[in-house]
Amino acid sequence: SRSFVDHRKVRVVGGQGGGGGHSFYSEPRKMFGGPDGGNGGDGGHVILKADQQMKSLSSVLPFYQGFRGERGGSKNCYGANGAYVYVKVPVGTLVKEDGKVVADLTQHGEEYVAAYGGAGGKGNAFFLSNENRAPTLFTPGEPGQERVLHLELKTTAHAGLVGFPNAGKSSLLRAISNAKPAVAAYPFTTLNPHVGIVRYQDYEQVAVADIPGLIKGAHQNRGLGMAFLRHIERCRFLLYVVDLSVSQPWIQLQDLKYELEQYKKGLSERPCVVIGNKIDLAQSRINLPLLKQQIDDRVIALSALTGDNLEELFLHLRELYDTYVKTEQSRGQSPVKW
């Protein structure tokens, strides 16, 4: 299986335009029928298309070229245009050129023309005039546009699981969805974002992303740092996963919010809920009331291992999702659906 890739440098070249035709009409008893060379076809574009089925940029090749337009024919026949080349990319792909964002593909089916095909050449019939009744001039097709683009994937999900390594994010995602991220007793088990789908009885689906664990100084690119902080940007609301069994668990929450705020101002102020994990441990039950005293955010205490109190998380997750949908609709925008 291919590894997860969220960065890709791609060179794209539009198709060459077809050359113009060069011919003169001729038949018995009509020797000088005049020029009838048709125009060449336009070259094909290279188009990036967002597709929900794509989850990584691993299938994107480093080079794409559009198809060439056909040459113009006799009897004023135009050449066929070159076929378009479609490149499927995941929803949430950012397209950059020379460090500037030129496209942001956030909706399924959204398209961006990465490279335009060249215009077809003119046949000699195009140059017919009263001054020149037998033109021999015809032009070649123009070359296609050539660009070097940088594709950057930011995982698009409704909720993002944010926490330090070994807080239990992957175990929680396994408990509430069908996703199967790796779970082990060492830090940085999760190296790539995983998206799990939480399904409700009315067929609504909430996408939850398991973001790799952050450490202090992540905004300065320590640990997995910047590579995965950007995946949190696209999450509409955040689920802070805190290990209740450690001493002073509220310090974890303060550090997480600080890292998010340093990376992007306002990121830590998004709608959120604090999940106190590992409530099945004795020390966690002692720390829970202390945590609630220290913070203003809502705290849901649960155990991803035993499944205790997952129902409360399901209900609150749906409340956050419904609030997000109403907010988007009030702005006249369509909410992201899975």
Side-chain angles (χ1 to χ4, degrees):
S1 63
R2 296 189 178 187
S3 60
F4 179 86
V5 176
D6 57 1
H7 263 286
R8 190 67 100 194
K9 181 180 178 182
V10 184
R11 181 168 158 256
V12 287
V13 181
Q16 170 98 15
H22 176 257
S23 65
F24 288 89
Y25 183 74
S26 177
E27 66 176 22
R29 296 183 298 280
K30 193 171 183 181
M31 296 297 292
F32 303 104
D36 68 348
N39 297 340
D42 296 334
H45 306 329
V46 178
I47 300 174
L48 303 178
K49 186 171 184 177
D51 190 326
Q52 248 179 5
Q53 300 300 317
M54 305 293 290
K55 302 302 178 189
S56 166
L57 294 172
S58 58
S59 60
V60 176
L61 302 176
F63 176 73
Y64 289 95
Q65 182 163 16
F67 289 96
R68 188 187 184 107
E70 290 187 8
R71 187 178 183 82
S74 58
K75 299 183 182 178
N76 288 311
C77 288
Y78 281 35
N81 293 336
Y84 293 170
V85 172
Y86 284 92
V87 182
K88 289 184 178 181
V89 296
V91 174
T93 299
L94 212 60
V95 185
K96 293 183 178 180
E97 185 178 27
D98 298 327
K100 295 181 180 178
V101 177
V102 293
D104 190 358
L105 306 176
T106 57
Q107 299 288 335
H108 175 70
E110 198 172 348
E111 296 180 2
Y112 173 69
V113 181
Y116 286 94
K122 302 299 183 185
N124 64 334
F126 177 83
F127 298 99
L128 177 66
S129 66
N130 289 333
E131 291 75 27
N132 186 2
R133 304 304 300 170
T136 57
L137 176 66
F138 62 98
T139 60
E142 294 181 5
Q145 184 184 17
E146 184 172 347
R147 302 169 75 186
V148 175
L149 302 174
H150 292 266
L151 306 184
E152 183 181 302
L153 174 60
K154 294 182 178 179
T155 304
T156 300
H158 298 120
L161 292 171
V162 185
F164 285 108
N166 286 109
K169 300 184 300 301
S170 297
S171 299
L172 182 60
L173 190 66
R174 275 176 168 260
I176 64 176
S177 73
N178 289 330
K180 301 297 179 190
V183 174
Y186 54 85
F188 298 118
T189 315
T190 304
L191 296 175
N192 307 313
H194 292 272
V195 179
I197 306 300
V198 181
R199 294 178 172 86
Y200 290 89
Q201 288 184 342
D202 59 353
Y203 302 106
E204 283 286 1
Q205 298 186 147
V206 180
V208 181
D210 174 18
I211 310 297
L214 302 177
I215 62 172
K216 288 185 180 180
H219 69 279
Q220 298 169 337
N221 214 17
R222 290 179 186 162
L224 298 175
M226 308 289 275
F228 295 108
L229 268 169
R230 68 169 173 272
H231 289 283
I232 302 172
E233 279 186 68
R234 292 287 170 87
C235 297
R236 273 61 183 183
F237 40 91
L238 303 177
L239 309 178
Y240 293 103
V241 183
V242 174
D243 185 352
L244 281 178
S245 64
V246 301
S247 62
Q248 298 182 317
W250 54 90
I251 301 292
Q252 291 183 40
L253 184 63
Q254 293 170 5
D255 291 339
L256 287 171
K257 289 192 173 184
Y258 175 77
E259 293 300 329
L260 296 187
E261 199 62 28
Q262 290 300 308
Y263 173 70
K264 184 178 180 182
K265 194 168 181 61
L267 193 57
S268 66
E269 297 170 6
R270 292 195 181 172
C272 69
V273 63
V274 177
I275 298 173
N277 195 18
K278 306 183 183 180
I279 193 62
D280 51 308
L281 301 178
Q283 187 60 42
S284 300
R285 289 190 284 274
I286 297 171
N287 288 337
L288 179 59
L290 301 175
L291 175 65
K292 290 182 176 180
Q293 288 174 11
Q294 293 287 335
I295 63 174
D296 298 327
D297 298 313
R298 177 171 176 175
V299 178
I300 297 177
L302 53 78
S303 171
L305 182 65
T306 63
D308 290 348
N309 207 29
L310 287 180
E311 191 63 34
E312 186 181 352
L313 175 59
F314 283 125
L315 294 173
H316 190 63
L317 191 61
R318 183 57 191 269
E319 288 175 18
L320 289 169
Y321 173 74
D322 289 341
T323 303
Y324 154 70
V325 170
K326 288 176 184 175
T327 303
E328 290 295 294
Q329 289 174 344
S330 66
R331 292 175 182 168
Q333 299 177 349
S334 57
V336 173
K337 295 279 186 178
W338 280 71

